Amino acid sequence: IIVDETPPFDDVPRNNPGDTFAPSPIPDPGIPEIETTFNDSFRDYMGKEVEASTEEQAKQLLVDIEQNTGAKPGIIYAVFSPTTVNSSNIQAETQVNPINGDRVALKALDKDPGNASHGRDDYDLNSPFFQANTFGGASMSDQLELVLVTAEGPPVRKRVDITRAQMLRLSNEMRQEVTNVRRGNAFLRSSQQLYQALIAPLEPTMQEQGLNNLTFLMDAGLRSLPIAALHDGQQFIIENYSVGLMPSLSLTDTRYVDIKDLSVLAMGAETFPDLQPLPAVPVELDVISNRLWNGAKFLNEDFNLKNLKGVRENTPYGILHLATHAEFKAGTAADSYIQLGQEKLTLDKLDELSLNDPPVELMVLSACRTALGDEEAELGFAGLAVMAGVKSALGSLWYVSDEGTLGLMTTFYKDLLTAPIKAEALREAQLQMLQGTTRLANGQLETPAGLVELPPNLAQLSDRDFSHPYYWSAFTMIGNPW
């Protein structure tokens, strides 16, 4: 991707050479209050009640992760707070230029974002989520506030001079642009503005402490943001950091387990009664369970709830790979589902999988889609690991091409054997696509794990690379990234 160094907008938020962002201690309300707010949102959606984590627990967790893995992690809270709330202990050191526009579209029309050939979607101004002054009852004039927690020193808090309305408009624009390959680099202007708002104010501290892993805990409207595609004007964020999404620290099972010796249960389907086929699934399951990892595979009619539960009763597979459709939709958890062969399992029934007994360390959904920008759909996506009873989940925000998904999954499972943490394995797989190492050539898939033979209908595709973030930024590590 060629980056245009000319600012795409006159009002691009950016740092000037003289800007300084000195750390400031976090006053009340602090981390427990933020955690409680997030927990309340997910409690209403998934019915789980937890006690809020504290600053001390967060810092000790990061110390433990560094000792166990060698990674240097940080936790970033991105929340919106009223502009009228101020404290003499907080300096508004970070300034982001306001973005013009007083009408804000909060929810895009529900079109297939995985179709790279569609034109730019219009915003649905008649959506119930579009209100002039509020979003889910919260003020659109609330300002963005960032809190960075690291293993060293007190949390760093930055108030950013950008409103909820402006952030939601930018987020929607980026999601629309990044899912449209035909628009090339059009996503860069919003991506760079979002980087300046979410990352740049904290970057001096992150660089000073040598952080290389960032876990984001986001307010409503930001949880379906493809974090991996954020761009600083020179590089994507994944060229410097592995990233992940967590619903809240309190809701996440953060205990570290090395998964390199675990076996994988790979299940999936090629055709479905009422959904588009996934022709690469047989190859995907074979590569993962036979070529790269030890495991078992169940395809098509053998992919069902009965087999999933029965097999795990006999063998405690620690990794579950589901090559199937999953939809995170507006409404309650009962409106979203994972397709199990011929049957749909709604999110409110996920406990029927009994994935916490024996425990699943990682669940992968290789073909899922989220209603981008929808608050309830975001809760389902960000809360996937919690609802499934697993520590970590890898899912996609939109449908990615069959061959692109196969390429990323092949490289991800190869990297998972050596990477210190799961989020790093995902980062390395995404980088291989960005850099063109994973690509389609001469009817085969070229990957760092070797050549992968494609089914006939995919082998006929023309040569292509997967450098555009449409192909790799949808994939998100959810829950415990370590």
Side-chain angles (χ1 to χ4, degrees):
I1 294 176
I2 300 174
V3 178
D4 182 359
E5 296 183 358
T6 303
F9 285 139
D10 289 339
D11 59 358
V12 172
R14 53 191 177 270
N15 296 330
N16 296 317
D19 287 346
T20 57
F21 304 109
S24 56
I26 181 170
D28 290 331
I31 289 173
E33 288 75 19
I34 298 173
E35 283 279 319
T36 297
T37 300
F38 286 3
N39 291 344
D40 287 348
S41 298
F42 285 94
R43 178 198 61 205
D44 295 339
Y45 185 82
M46 65 180 69
K48 290 186 181 291
E49 187 84 44
V50 294
E51 184 177 343
S53 296
T54 65
E55 176 187 324
E56 291 73 21
Q57 290 171 326
K59 291 180 64 65
Q60 186 58 52
L61 166 65
L62 298 177
V63 170
D64 294 342
I65 294 300
E66 183 175 346
Q67 291 176 347
N68 286 323
T69 70
K72 291 280 289 184
I75 294 173
I76 296 177
Y77 292 91
V79 300
F80 295 107
S81 59
T83 55
T84 54
V85 176
N86 199 3
S87 168
S88 59
N89 295 326
I90 304 176
Q91 298 179 10
E93 299 150 337
T94 305
Q95 295 298 318
V96 178
N97 292 334
I99 299 167
N100 296 328
D102 55 2
R103 284 181 63 79
V104 181
L106 299 179
K107 184 182 178 186
L109 290 171
D110 188 16
K111 297 182 180 179
D112 181 9
N115 181 0
S117 66
H118 69 65
R120 178 182 174 87
D121 287 345
D122 294 323
Y123 293 133
D124 182 8
L125 299 181
N126 296 317
S127 164
F129 290 89
F130 176 78
Q131 301 175 39
N133 300 309
T134 66
F135 176 74
S139 172
M140 293 296 287
S141 64
D142 287 350
Q143 273 191 319
L144 177 66
E145 196 146 3
L146 306 174
V147 180
L148 170 64
V149 185
T150 67
E152 304 173 22
V156 176
R157 184 175 197 155
K158 303 293 181 182
R159 180 177 284 269
V160 185
D161 188 20
I162 188 169
T163 66
R164 185 192 304 267
Q166 293 163 348
M167 284 295 291
L168 293 182
R169 183 166 74 87
L170 275 177
S171 299
N172 274 325
E173 180 181 326
M174 179 183 172
R175 286 186 293 248
Q176 294 297 317
E177 300 289 10
V178 82
T179 54
N180 192 342
V181 176
R182 289 190 175 183
R183 288 187 60 83
N185 294 339
F187 68 90
L188 281 174
R189 63 179 184 178
S190 53
S191 172
Q192 290 172 7
Q193 289 178 324
L194 286 165
Y195 189 99
Q196 290 300 314
L198 290 167
I199 310 299
L202 301 171
E203 205 148 31
T205 301
M206 289 155 45
Q207 293 174 350
E208 179 185 344
Q209 297 195 21
L211 301 188
N212 55 26
N213 167 250
L214 303 175
T215 299
F216 290 82
L217 296 88
M218 308 281 241
D219 212 331
L222 301 179
R223 294 174 183 135
S224 60
L225 190 66
I227 301 168
L230 294 180
H231 197 278
D232 68 0
Q234 299 295 324
Q235 295 179 306
F236 289 99
I237 189 173
I238 60 167
E239 296 182 72
N240 295 302
Y241 307 96
S242 62
V243 297
L245 179 69
M246 193 180 285
S248 76
L249 196 59
S250 324
L251 284 165
T252 304
D253 184 344
T254 56
R255 294 171 294 177
Y256 172 75
V257 171
D258 189 338
I259 68 173
K260 294 179 179 62
D261 294 327
L262 299 180
S263 54
V264 59
L265 174 59
M267 309 184 81
E270 190 175 4
T271 59
F272 305 88
D274 56 351
L275 297 167
Q276 65 187 43
L278 300 173
V281 164
V283 179
E284 183 178 320
L285 298 188
D286 186 64
V287 168
I288 291 168
S289 63
N290 292 331
R291 182 167 159 178
L292 296 175
W293 283 70
N294 293 320
K297 64 176 180 178
F298 290 79
L299 179 64
N300 294 332
E301 63 271 9
D302 294 327
F303 174 33
N304 53 59
L305 181 59
K306 179 181 178 182
N307 278 346
L308 195 160
K309 295 176 67 174
V311 170
R312 293 193 68 252
E313 287 177 359
N314 297 321
T315 306
Y317 292 99
I319 301 174
L320 176 62
H321 183 94
L322 301 179
T324 185
H325 291 280
E327 294 275 356
F328 299 92
K329 297 183 174 183
T332 67
D335 297 306
S336 300
Y337 67 87
I338 298 174
Q339 184 79 32
L340 300 182
Q342 303 298 303
E343 55 188 321
K344 289 180 172 61
L345 182 69
T346 56
L347 295 193
D348 62 319
K349 304 291 186 182
L350 271 181
D351 56 356
E352 293 183 10
L353 297 179
S354 302
L355 298 183
N356 60 342
D357 184 25
V360 168
E361 296 293 327
L362 172 65
M363 180 176 75
V364 177
L365 290 174
S366 66
C368 53
R369 179 175 70 168
T370 305
L372 299 178
D374 181 272
E375 186 174 2
E376 285 87 5
E378 287 186 348
L379 290 170
F381 183 76
L384 175 60
V386 178
M387 288 186 288
V390 302
K391 285 188 182 177
S392 312
L394 175 59
S396 61
L397 288 164
W398 55 81
Y399 286 148
V400 178
S401 67
D402 236 22
E403 64 277 12
T405 297
L406 178 59
L408 184 133
M409 290 298 163
T410 300
T411 310
F412 169 71
Y413 276 96
K414 173 187 176 294
D415 293 331
L416 201 58
L417 291 166
T418 56
I421 58 174
K422 289 167 281 191
E424 178 62 22
L426 175 59
R427 183 184 87 94
E428 291 172 2
Q430 291 171 319
L431 285 176
Q432 297 297 335
M433 300 184 82
L434 170 63
Q435 296 166 356
T437 308
T438 299
R439 65 194 186 102
L440 186 64
N442 301 317
Q444 295 179 313
L445 195 62
E446 296 182 358
T447 79
L451 292 176
V452 178
E453 297 291 335
L454 296 174
N457 57 334
L458 296 182
Q460 298 174 4
L461 296 174
S462 59
D463 292 358
R464 68 188 62 178
D465 66 38
F466 303 113
S467 60
H468 193 281
Y470 157 72
Y471 293 104
W472 49 262
S473 67
F475 295 98
T476 306
M477 191 63 66
I478 308 163
N480 183 337
W482 308 296

